[in-house]
Amino acid sequence: MDGGEGVSDGEWDFYWCDVGWLRENFDHIYMEEHVRICHFRNHYELTRKNFMVKNLKRFRKQLERESGRLEALKCDFFPKTFELPAEYHLFVEEFRRNPGITWIMKPVARSQGKGIFLFRKLKDIMDWRKDGSRSDEQKDELPVENYVAQRYIENPYLIGGRKFDLRVYVLVTSYIPLRAWLYRDGFARFSNTRFTLSSIDDQYIHLTNVAIQKTAPDYDPEKGCKWMIQQLRQYLTAKHGPTAVETLFQSMDNIFIKSLQSVQKIIINDKHCFELYGYDILLDEDLKPWLLEVNASPSLTASSQEDYDLKCRLLEDTLHVVDMEGSVEPTSFWHMSAVLSRHRQSSRLPPHQPPELPPHQPPELPPHQPPELQHPRPPVSSPLSRRILTGREKRVGGFDLMWNDGPVSRDDSQLDCISNGSFITNTHLGCINNRKKNLRQLMKVSSKKSSTTQ
């Protein structure tokens, strides 16, 4: 399910809700053992910009205290950041120590690039001073929105002279113990205008959000502004060699794990909850990845057919990992499949690229029929009506298990290699996503086990 429609009667097994609904309803509903919902109740500890930085700073200090400075340096992947107005005076000290550099201001709880601007002068952020110059009445009448002031990455990696960032998907099914999956697909989002620091007011240069770029006067919807991450990895490998690119992607693995560990003891773990995070990563010219933010509700709106296909695969594989098939009756899963199909159709595609219906989909029924009846009910003997996963899988569709209460190795024989530095994490970001072959293998194994138990 998506949004708030149809959940008040309690007849649901799986709910793809927004964070607003979660905040208002989570503590006031009873959920059966098998029910799943797509957010942890205090997800904002990682997905609000100010909380994310606060938790990363705390975790870095903890690592330095417990494991030494070298281990703490593994958290050196986010730019210097201050929360305003609370840390205004600390920010001013840092600002004056480094005159002339560029800073970026971001509202802590907005998305799609809204409210973001760059600055080099303190006078541009006078509204965020914490100096007592405003009376209590003025503060009540016009409260200042919380922002983070973050050092701007002035040397981003450019392709064709344009800045880009990465959107990567991480699925967490449990925090205690921590169990995290990395999706093989993702994309790079490019700015529409060549990069320069001489014009810091031009959002088409500095902000890569699709919601902003598609409003550019010369934006071409047919070309779009995205590369699939496989295409980016091939480009970087051709230019810098496989060793440098493998090091880069391992550094991104470190970002995913360390950021999750920073909130592991804070997030309220709940067996009903999972979370599909959208990580935003920026590369600098030295191929160092920087964590910009983590999104609790990454956009599932498609900007092209390729984007639409990616997000449909992502949603389907998320359901495979969550593995509702073994937790609900076939009828319930049929309703959930119908909801997912409606979610797919709601992804808006450009007019010139209508989604193609799969050949097996039945013709649309008359309008008076309920939406669920426009989708076939899987037979009881279908693999969807029995549990597919054993809990020991290291790959499900396009997802690779990268952490299972400890690092997961690509090769089971490597488990003893962590200490000598030769351990290779079970991640394949930007590699071939032959998910259908993997899913067929899982179905095959499931069918064999089912036949032997009958």
Side-chain angles (χ1 to χ4, degrees):
M1 291 184 170
D2 184 31
E5 183 180 354
V7 300
S8 57
D9 56 7
E11 295 180 0
W12 53 277
D13 303 293
F14 178 95
Y15 187 21
W16 197 281
C17 69
D18 58 43
V19 295
W21 183 93
L22 183 87
R23 183 172 56 251
E24 294 174 7
N25 297 281
F26 190 94
D27 293 325
H28 307 291
I29 58 173
Y30 170 76
M31 289 185 283
E32 298 285 349
E33 178 84 12
H34 67 275
V35 169
R36 295 293 181 269
I37 194 167
C38 70
H39 296 292
F40 291 91
R41 64 177 71 186
N42 60 336
H43 61 87
Y44 48 79
E45 292 288 352
L46 182 61
T47 58
R48 275 179 65 117
K49 300 175 186 71
N50 54 336
F51 291 165
M52 181 192 80
V53 171
K54 177 195 70 174
N55 287 316
L56 283 169
K57 287 179 178 179
R58 177 191 48 76
F59 185 60
R60 184 167 58 188
K61 289 179 181 178
Q62 176 187 332
L63 286 177
E64 184 168 7
R65 185 172 60 252
E66 296 176 356
S67 305
R69 191 166 184 274
L70 285 179
E71 190 65 23
L73 285 175
K74 293 181 181 178
C75 286
D76 184 26
F77 51 71
F78 59 99
K80 190 173 285 292
T81 306
F82 299 88
E83 182 179 358
L84 303 185
E87 298 179 324
Y88 180 80
H89 294 303
L90 291 174
F91 165 70
V92 170
E93 290 178 14
E94 179 68 23
F95 182 91
R96 288 173 175 163
R97 276 197 295 266
N98 298 276
I101 68 169
T102 307
W103 293 80
I104 184 167
M105 283 280 280
K106 304 175 183 179
V108 299
R110 288 203 253 174
S111 59
Q112 297 184 327
K114 295 172 183 173
I116 296 178
F117 63 93
L118 278 63
F119 68 97
R120 293 193 184 116
K121 298 177 180 178
L122 283 177
K123 68 179 181 63
D124 294 331
I125 59 164
M126 293 300 282
D127 286 343
W128 286 269
R129 286 183 304 174
K130 190 181 179 183
D131 60 358
S133 60
R134 302 167 73 214
S135 67
D136 290 339
E137 291 78 9
Q138 288 175 319
K139 291 175 183 177
D140 290 338
E141 291 173 5
L142 190 64
V144 174
E145 184 177 6
N146 283 355
Y147 270 61
V148 291
Q150 194 169 72
R151 188 162 179 170
Y152 186 63
I153 306 298
E154 296 184 317
N155 61 332
Y157 192 98
L158 305 179
I159 296 179
R162 289 168 172 80
K163 176 183 172 181
F164 65 93
D165 69 359
L166 306 181
R167 167 58 58 84
V168 182
Y169 298 100
V170 174
L171 175 63
V172 176
T173 53
S174 169
Y175 270 98
I176 302 176
L178 181 59
R179 187 172 173 87
W181 304 74
L182 178 64
Y183 205 60
R184 296 189 173 203
D185 295 344
F187 50 84
R189 304 176 297 187
F190 284 82
S191 61
N192 205 55
T193 307
R194 296 178 69 88
F195 183 79
T196 176
L197 285 172
S198 62
S199 179
I200 64 172
D201 296 326
D202 191 335
Q203 60 183 357
Y204 300 126
I205 295 175
H206 300 286
L207 304 185
T208 60
N209 309 73
V210 175
I212 288 176
Q213 293 299 323
K214 68 182 182 182
T215 65
D218 53 348
Y219 176 75
D220 186 342
E222 292 191 9
K223 291 182 180 179
C225 57
K226 292 180 180 178
W227 271 12
M228 292 299 104
I229 205 160
Q230 285 84 354
Q231 186 179 357
L232 176 69
R233 184 161 188 159
Q234 289 175 356
Y235 174 90
L236 294 174
T237 300
K239 191 165 184 181
H240 301 282
T243 301
V245 173
E246 184 66 27
T247 299
L248 163 63
F249 278 74
Q250 287 176 3
S251 297
M252 284 196 279
D253 294 343
N254 173 69
I255 290 177
F256 306 138
I257 295 302
K258 288 291 189 289
S259 60
L260 294 174
Q261 288 178 327
S262 74
V263 296
Q264 183 181 5
K265 295 180 180 179
I266 299 173
I267 295 289
I268 302 170
N269 195 60
D270 191 305
K271 63 187 176 184
H272 299 103
C273 301
F274 68 93
E275 193 105 35
L276 179 65
Y277 294 109
Y279 274 74
D280 291 345
I281 307 286
L282 179 72
L283 308 184
D284 68 19
E285 61 187 10
D286 299 318
L287 288 184
K288 175 181 171 64
W290 295 88
L291 175 61
L292 300 182
E293 64 179 293
V294 183
N295 297 273
S297 300
S299 172
L300 297 174
T301 301
S303 58
S304 68
Q305 185 66 46
E306 191 174 35
D307 195 31
Y308 173 85
D309 293 339
L310 182 157
K311 287 169 180 175
C312 285
R313 294 193 300 267
L314 174 69
L315 284 172
E316 289 174 355
D317 289 343
T318 297
L319 289 180
H320 284 307
V321 172
V322 175
D323 196 23
M324 292 294 295
E325 290 92 331
S327 303
V328 298
E329 294 299 318
T331 302
S332 299
F333 190 82
W334 164 58
H335 280 275
M336 187 173 67
S337 299
V339 168
L340 174 60
S341 183
R342 291 203 302 276
H343 195 106
R344 285 168 137 198
Q345 293 171 9
S346 69
S347 293
R348 296 189 298 276
L349 289 171
H352 63 281
Q353 290 179 318
E356 294 183 5
L357 296 178
H360 65 272
Q361 184 158 339
E364 187 171 333
L365 295 179
H368 67 273
Q369 295 280 3
E372 287 82 1
L373 297 183
Q374 299 182 25
H375 304 273
R377 179 197 302 260
V380 174
S381 60
S382 165
L384 295 180
S385 65
R386 61 176 177 267
R387 180 166 292 281
I388 295 174
L389 305 184
T390 65
R392 297 186 298 275
E393 289 81 7
K394 292 167 62 173
R395 181 183 177 190
V396 177
F399 278 107
D400 295 292
L401 182 63
M402 64 176 171
W403 194 271
N404 187 19
D405 201 20
V408 179
S409 169
R410 290 185 191 175
D411 184 352
D412 290 333
S413 63
Q414 286 189 336
L415 291 177
D416 296 329
C417 301
I418 299 177
S419 58
N420 63 24
S422 60
F423 183 88
I424 301 177
T425 305
N426 181 45
T427 54
H428 302 269
L429 179 61
C431 297
I432 295 174
N433 186 5
N434 53 345
R435 55 184 291 275
K436 290 185 177 179
K437 179 180 178 181
N438 171 261
L439 293 173
R440 282 195 298 267
Q441 291 171 342
L442 292 176
M443 292 286 191
K444 198 175 196 180
V445 171
S446 176
S447 297
K448 284 182 179 179
K449 287 184 178 179
S450 178
S451 61
T452 58
T453 56
Q454 290 177 354

